[in-house]
Amino acid sequence: MSVLLSIVMPAYNEEACIADVVAMWSSLLTKQFPTETTRLIVVNDGSRDRTGAILDEIKPDFPNLIVVHQPNGGHGNAVVNAYRQAVAIDSEYVFQTDSDDQFVPEDFAKLWAKRFDTPFVLGCREVRYDALARLVITRILRLSIFLIYGTYIKDSNIPFRLIRGSYLKKLLAQLPTPTPFAPNIFLAVMAKKAGNNLFNIPITHKERQTGTVSILKWKLLKVCFQSFKELAQFRLDLGRKVAALRKPEPVAA
């Protein structure tokens, strides 16, 4: 059974909003694609609150919902696991967003409209409502990407992106191991270096109403150093990996 679109999202300690977020994105799928097979894949990253229990409780209400529970491995690990789940069910397109209710489903259409122009479409938070720590990290990573790769991507780690399933499979095969702290940055860099127009479409970003920010204070410096180190190391392999991405996909018999 072919899956036209899978929406994937990691979830960690989002008990206050996870039911509403699932209902919101599931509604988008059923309304916009009523005759197509779609999936909403939520990866519970070892939440310490009732996020996992709530997901299990509401699952019967949403036939397109797939719930995956994993030990806590961090946001990046959960994102990659969600991507792999979507690829495993042969999703034609994969859309990633977060479970913290800071994005609006209406903006999905802006990326969907570009699906035939490029295999990798990024949103862009022009006005961003996040803690100062996250804003600092974004600016440091933006500068790091430019210095290391000579590539400017305004919002390379944004959790609002649409990727063609076959292309995502190729990207995941080139992702360094172990999984980087912010794998979405590496996917965006590879897609950009492979010659794709990422579009960077402006989208709405809302102020966080529930939950807590996990990266604060001393963790900020640790995260920045770790990410810069991973990006620098990846530069040595980037040419080979981009070449692999540019190889034509095999034609089905």
Side-chain angles (χ1 to χ4, degrees):
M1 181 172 58
S2 177
V3 177
L4 173 66
L5 171 67
S6 286
I7 296 178
V8 301
M9 64 173 70
Y12 178 72
N13 290 354
E14 299 290 359
E15 64 179 5
C17 68
I18 191 63
D20 290 338
V21 171
V22 166
M24 180 172 62
W25 288 101
S26 179
S27 177
L28 177 140
L29 289 175
T30 55
K31 288 181 179 179
Q32 187 161 341
F33 308 101
T35 63
E36 300 286 352
T37 300
T38 58
R39 294 290 181 265
L40 173 60
I41 304 172
V42 182
V43 175
N44 171 39
D45 186 34
S47 296
R48 297 181 180 181
D49 63 3
R50 295 195 68 252
T51 297
I54 292 171
L55 286 168
D56 288 337
E57 290 169 5
I58 66 175
K59 189 176 184 302
D61 299 329
F62 301 99
N64 56 5
L65 175 61
I66 297 174
V67 178
V68 179
H69 299 285
Q70 68 171 39
N72 181 253
H75 183 274
N77 181 277
V79 168
V80 171
N81 189 6
Y83 282 147
R84 295 194 189 283
Q85 296 284 338
V87 168
I89 61 175
D90 198 25
S91 304
E92 188 175 350
Y93 292 96
V94 181
F95 175 76
Q96 190 247 320
T97 188
D98 267 354
S99 57
D100 54 12
D101 197 22
Q102 287 190 270
F103 298 99
V104 297
E106 291 77 11
D107 283 336
F108 166 80
K110 299 178 183 178
L111 277 66
W112 186 248
K114 297 291 185 183
R115 69 189 183 280
F116 298 126
D117 298 328
T118 178
F120 196 107
V121 192
L122 281 182
C124 177
R125 294 165 285 195
E126 298 232 320
V127 179
R128 184 173 175 182
Y129 295 95
D130 266 335
L132 178 61
R134 289 183 178 270
L135 298 179
V136 171
I137 290 174
T138 296
R139 292 180 181 179
I140 292 176
L141 290 176
R142 188 184 301 154
L143 178 61
S144 298
I145 291 170
F146 181 75
L147 292 176
I148 295 171
Y149 301 114
T151 296
Y152 180 80
I153 305 175
K154 186 172 182 179
D155 203 354
S156 62
N157 198 34
I158 187 172
F160 204 90
R161 54 185 61 205
L162 178 69
I163 312 173
R164 192 175 301 152
S166 57
Y167 194 67
L168 176 59
K169 185 175 182 180
K170 294 169 69 173
L171 284 169
L172 291 173
Q174 302 305 320
L175 194 66
T177 53
T179 302
F181 173 79
N184 270 340
I185 295 177
F186 290 78
L187 300 183
V189 168
M190 286 191 288
K192 179 76 171 179
K193 283 295 188 180
N196 295 296
N197 182 353
L198 309 186
F199 284 100
N200 298 286
I201 299 170
I203 61 167
T204 301
H205 191 243
K206 303 188 299 180
E207 188 171 356
R208 187 181 180 99
Q209 300 296 323
T210 61
T212 57
V213 179
S214 59
I215 301 175
L216 291 172
K217 297 180 180 179
W218 66 271
K219 286 187 178 180
L220 172 62
L221 292 177
K222 181 180 179 181
V223 165
C224 289
F225 176 77
Q226 179 182 348
S227 296
F228 184 88
K229 181 180 177 182
E230 290 174 345
L231 286 168
Q233 291 175 336
F234 187 65
R235 186 179 185 278
L236 300 175
D237 295 326
L238 183 62
R240 174 174 55 83
K241 292 180 179 294
V242 167
L245 290 174
R246 287 174 172 165
K247 289 182 180 179
E249 296 180 18
V251 179

